[in-house]
Amino acid sequence: MDVRSLTGRRELLGTARAELTARTGVLFHGPPGIGKSLLVAALMTSLAAHDRPAGTVLHCSPVQEDARLPFVGLIDLFARVPESCLETLAPVPRAALRAALLRGREPADDHSRLAVRVAFLGVLRTLAATGPVLLVVDGLQWLDEPSAEVLAFAARRVEDLDVRMVAAERVADGEQPERLRCCPPGTVALPVPPLADSEVAHLVRTGLGADPPPAVLRAIQDAAAGNPWYALELGREALRDGAPVVFGPALPVPRRLRTLLLDQVRTLPETARRTLLVTSAAAHPSLTLLRAAGLRDPAADLAEADGTGVATVDVGGTVRFRHPMLRAAVYADAPEHSRRQAHALLARAVTEPVEQARHLALAHPHEDETTAHTLMSAAAYARRHGAPDTAFELAEFAARRTPGDRPVERAERLLAAAEYACDAGQLEEAGQLAETVLAEAGSARQRVRARLILLRNAGQALEGAHELIEEGLRDADGDPEAEAWLYHWAALRGLLCGELEEAARYARRAARLAARAGDTDTRIGALATLARMRSLAGEPVAADAALEEALALAGGADAGPESWGLIRMRAILALDSDKVTEARTQVTGLLAEIGEFAGVEEVMATLVALTRIQVRSGHCREALRTAARCSRALAETGVQAAPALYAAALAATAGGTADEARHLAEQAVRASEADGDRLFLLRALAVLGQAELLVGDPRGAAAAVEALRRVKELGETMSAADPPLLHWYGDLAEALVVLGDTDAAGAVIREARTRVSGEAPGSVLAALERAEGLREAAIGRAKEGALRLRAAVDRLRRLPLPVELVRTLIALGAAERRARRRNAARTALGEALETATLIGAAPLAARARDELSRLEAGDRRGEAGSGKPELTPTEARIAGLVGGGATNREVAAELFISVKTVEGALSRVYRKFGVRSRTALAHAMAVAVIASGAAVDSGEDDQVRPAEQTVTASQVGRMRIPRTFDTRR
């Protein structure tokens, strides 16, 4: 079986397999083409391969043509039953069954039919005595009635037998199966649901071995409505037909599919068929619209058509096809001239500008400037009303209707269509239209605009766009407005590629050229880009100045679309300055304002910003929802962008799981690297480091160090010095502490301190204080470490940053415990748990509970007076491995740390145990373990955790390493 055919069905297949194990049967049901037979076959294959021992399978697949033939289903079921099974029956039932199987005279009376049922049950008992029996009926709706009665009779009497059943029944959408009585009691009925659009897309691409144009794929998704058979049939026909898809119902439908769906429709009177055609051509059909289109009695026509199951009229007069495929089939089945007439009728009847333009264009399928002008007006109307996808379709259609002697107008309309496509996230179509303008050699300015669309279409992947910008500048020579556009894009490219100083020069040049040309929009954009770069360079005053100049030019924060990007930038600057509440208010208001009217890029950028703000402000559950919304918005475009992946990973570190956060962060890193986007690579690596730190063991810490060192190197290469980078320095220092490399951690902290200015936000200072406190505790200076951590806590209490506060409270609790201040530790950890639970910070709540449990375990066994040396997590691992005979190099390889780190940690372990050699260390550890065991045996602590004990080498492999220091964000 081709695994591609199971697209979207694996979960349902797993459910069916589990249900069949626990119950007596499974019945798949759903409309034709939904995939019932596929699931039956897949379940059979799975059972044969894994779940069920060898036994007897009785199988039949009834078809409609055989439904009136008596006992044909029974004959199929008995095709592989040996004659010897019949010999065990009593004479009368045996004779009746043989007759039903056409091995004798057909049973003619009720007594004989009862004998057939008894005989069938007897055969099942005989077969079940030697092994399990599985009945498979694929197509219960076509099973002949005599066979169905035999199955129903037996089904009620097999509870004591190892007999199960797998069946499929065709039912209308939303209906329940009618022949569940043929299945054993307890059989579960499983509806087979429609596939999601993404699953339909995957099925079409893999099933056809080709990638249909996006417009064709969307039309297939709309018409198939999740039905896999319809989707594949439509895909094959569309690829074979090769005609462009326009405005929904024009999708080509294969003849055999139309015949199957419209068998009864074709028998309707001409007036009813004409009414159905006009209905299929309308976007929002109703009786009122059909009457306005000139149809005499559409209600009567549709009432006659209702018997065919094609369309229905609700109480309000709205007409609906029972399935989108029926609409497409009715439209495709009509002759071309009849379709044109239908659109001409509707063009006179509708008043909505977009629909009117559509019908006018479809009624006159030839080049015509009046029609093209009407379509462009409708496209502009659609875009103003928040429908960029509709605007794109109309503008593209207008370009096709433009007469050949008007090349300038055609190029303008193609460019407008491309811009609308960008707004709608239809990147492939936008790129194709821009390339068409370049190929047709429009004016120099039109060629520049085409290249701007290609630049916009590239998203974050601007690293390779240098040549495109240079070509554009050659065309723009002498046109200051066009030059300003291109220099602004050069600035954006430099920003993403980490070339901040060069990008700043381009941004200033773009602003000057735009001012000379009187292009306020480009000047505003260039100033906003300059503000971003000044912020990244650690110059908040210069960033604010550029941003305020841009806002003044835009007319203030209430200037509409021109101010949206500026508001978002202002919010990010506020966020970096710890003004989290202000940032959240600004972006939440912005998102409500842009609503459905903004393009995909604008919405996605705003959602990413909101996710960042929600994480820092402690709205962790909301951050998960916002990141998911961002991903959904992007998924509709078919593109996987680093910013959306970064947002999802960041939200997962706050409110999800470590594994989820790591997986998403790794994807974000790969996407950023593929785009050459160093700006988001910096952020993606930082969140990857945070995700690895959530693991809390040396392996995770080693991976975190690797990611965060890349962050540090990238930041230095870019000359970046914004507050987030200094936060990530603190994360790097914490990861090094977990690894036991306290010297390297100290060096990172000292370097970060040299980069902190007098205007540094309080959160930056608190992050460095937390890292310093953790390092102090790690080198045995627990009291000094706790002092630094308390200072960080006090600083964070004055800021609206609950996630950072919880991180620091957990670190403080751990340090206080190590300093033997158990009440202080309990207070800090209790507050951390309460706050983390309140804000939905699931990873931090789990960490706080873990630390509290460790504290309680220490109380029970009197840890304060135990006299045992207390090791950090890494020291415990190193001591165990060395005590077991591992060399320093072997330990380094096992824990993913350097040999130098192993040597330093081992020296500290020797001091704590008061020994000077590996042999003495192994002996001291063994003594400690014996002492711990004696404490357990004496009842001092029957719940002592291995993580709290010093361990021998043989125990290292199965111990749970204590996570003494909080490493979560």
Side-chain angles (χ1 to χ4, degrees), residues 47 74 77 83 93 103 142 197 212 258 274-275 306 467-468 568 581 590 603 612 671 679 721 758 843 862 867 915:
L47 292 173
L74 200 62
L77 287 171
E83 184 72 21
R103 301 174 191 177
W142 303 132
D197 278 352
R258 287 180 305 185
R274 185 179 186 224
T275 297
D306 187 57
E467 185 176 346
L468 196 62
R568 191 168 53 245
T581 304
L590 175 60
V603 172
R612 290 180 60 191
L679 181 61
V915 299

Side-chain angles (χ1 to χ4, degrees), residues 689 693 698 700-702 704-705 708 730-741 745 967:
L693 277 170
V705 167
L708 291 165
D731 289 342
L732 174 57
E734 290 186 29
L736 289 165
V737 167
V738 174
L739 280 182
D741 198 345
T967 57

Side-chain angles (χ1 to χ4, degrees), residues 270 273-274 277-278 281 331 333-345:
E270 171 62 28
R273 282 185 281 128
R274 185 179 186 224
L277 172 59
V278 177
Y331 188 87
D333 206 45
E336 177 64 26
H337 67 88
S338 297
R339 293 186 217 165
R340 293 182 194 174
Q341 290 174 0
H343 287 295
L345 293 174

Side-chain angles (χ1 to χ4, degrees), residues 439-463:
E440 293 179 358
S443 68
R445 192 177 178 89
Q446 287 174 336
R447 292 196 301 273
V448 168
R449 287 178 58 198
R451 290 190 176 92
L452 293 177
I453 289 166
L454 293 175
L455 288 166
R456 181 182 173 189
N457 212 28
Q460 305 293 119
L462 288 176
E463 185 177 31

Side-chain angles (χ1 to χ4, degrees), residues 82-91 94 98 123 126:
E83 184 72 21
S84 59
C85 286
L86 276 63
E87 297 301 327
T88 63
L89 300 173
R94 182 173 67 246
R98 287 178 58 80
V123 171
T126 300

Side-chain angles (χ1 to χ4, degrees), residues 205-242:
R205 292 186 182 109
T206 56
L208 302 183
D211 196 357
V216 174
L217 182 58
R218 282 192 296 276
I220 291 171
Q221 291 168 329
D222 290 343
N227 187 298
W229 181 49
Y230 291 167
L232 288 171
E233 288 292 304
L234 291 171
R236 291 189 187 97
E237 188 69 11
L239 292 177
R240 185 183 305 115
D241 185 83

Side-chain angles (χ1 to χ4, degrees), residues 71 174 259 337 367 370 384 406 651 743 814 849 863 872 923 956:
F71 293 113
T259 299
H337 67 88
E367 293 181 354
T370 300
R384 286 196 303 273
R406 291 176 172 267
D743 290 343
R849 279 192 293 269
E863 183 177 351
T872 68
H923 176 73
V956 165

Side-chain angles (χ1 to χ4, degrees), residues 45-63:
T45 300
S46 177
L47 292 173
H50 303 292
D51 297 327
R52 298 279 290 172
T56 303
V57 178
L58 306 183
H59 185 281
C60 71
S61 299
V63 295

